[in-house]
């Protein structure tokens, strides 16, 4: 008869430890691949975020107004120097703009809308767009500008030559 000097549990623990070591069971999670994937996603979104802005290139006036904090992406109406009107990125005429704005207002009456008028655009088309937005029923209307900087040359209250 053989007797164990370490008690009943001593031999059991050693055998169990040998079994666990031979099976190769890991009790830790390797987070390195997760961190690698998250860093790649972060870089992708950092590069893609500036590209998701409204795609109509216009020269906005510069002001010292503070940016608005908005949780929801507003609608954007852009007016280029030649008088071309864009609702988001879709070009349209003034006759097409009014019914489209009324339909958008019917979907969401609380939607904010921003007008982006080019610095070289004449006041007439911008005023017509503002009138169409108001006639559609929108209450949250804003004029979009670029932050910082002094007013452009010739803006001392008189028309530039």
């Amino acid at each position: 008869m053989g007797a164990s000097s370490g008690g009943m549990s001593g031999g059991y623990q050693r055998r169990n430890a040998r079994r666990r070591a031979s099976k190769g069971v890991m009790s830790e999670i390797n987070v390195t691949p997760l961190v690698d994937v998250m860093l790649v996603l972060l870089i992708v979104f950092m590069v893609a975020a500036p590209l998701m802005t409204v795609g109509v290139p216009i020269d906005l006036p510069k002001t010292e107004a503070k940016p608005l904090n908005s949780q929801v992406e507003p609608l954007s109406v852009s007016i280029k120097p030649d008088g071309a009107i864009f609702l988001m990125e879709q070009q349209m005429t003034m006759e097409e703009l009014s019914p489209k704005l009324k339909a958008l207002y019917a979907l969401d009456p609380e939607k904010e809308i921003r007008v982006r008028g080019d610095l070289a655009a004449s006041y007439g088309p911008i005023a017509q767009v503002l009138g169409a937005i108001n006639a559609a029923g929108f209450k949250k209307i804003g004029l979009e500008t670029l932050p910082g900087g002094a007013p452009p040359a010739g803006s001392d209250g008189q028309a530039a030559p």
Side-chain angles (χ1 to χ4, degrees), residues 57-144:
I58 58 175
D59 185 22
L60 293 174
K62 292 181 176 27
T63 63
E64 293 185 21
K66 295 178 184 171
L68 298 174
N69 293 331
S70 178
Q71 310 296 6
V72 181
E73 181 68 27
L75 291 173
S76 176
V77 178
S78 304
I79 299 101
K80 294 188 89 170
D82 60 357
I85 301 169
F86 291 83
L87 179 60
M88 297 306 276
E89 294 180 9
Q90 182 181 4
Q91 185 174 0
M92 55 184 56
T93 64
M94 184 57 82
E95 292 77 26
E96 297 170 335
L97 182 66
S98 294
K100 187 78 165 178
L101 287 173
K102 289 178 183 175
L104 290 170
Y105 180 76
L107 291 174
D108 187 6
E110 295 299 316
K111 188 78 169 172
E112 181 181 348
I113 189 163
R114 294 190 185 159
V115 178
R116 304 174 72 232
D118 193 287
L119 187 61
S122 65
Y123 183 69
I126 296 173
Q128 288 178 339
V129 167
L130 287 171
I133 293 170
N134 191 11
F138 284 97
K139 302 293 182 235
K140 296 179 181 178
I141 305 169
L143 295 174
E144 193 169 321

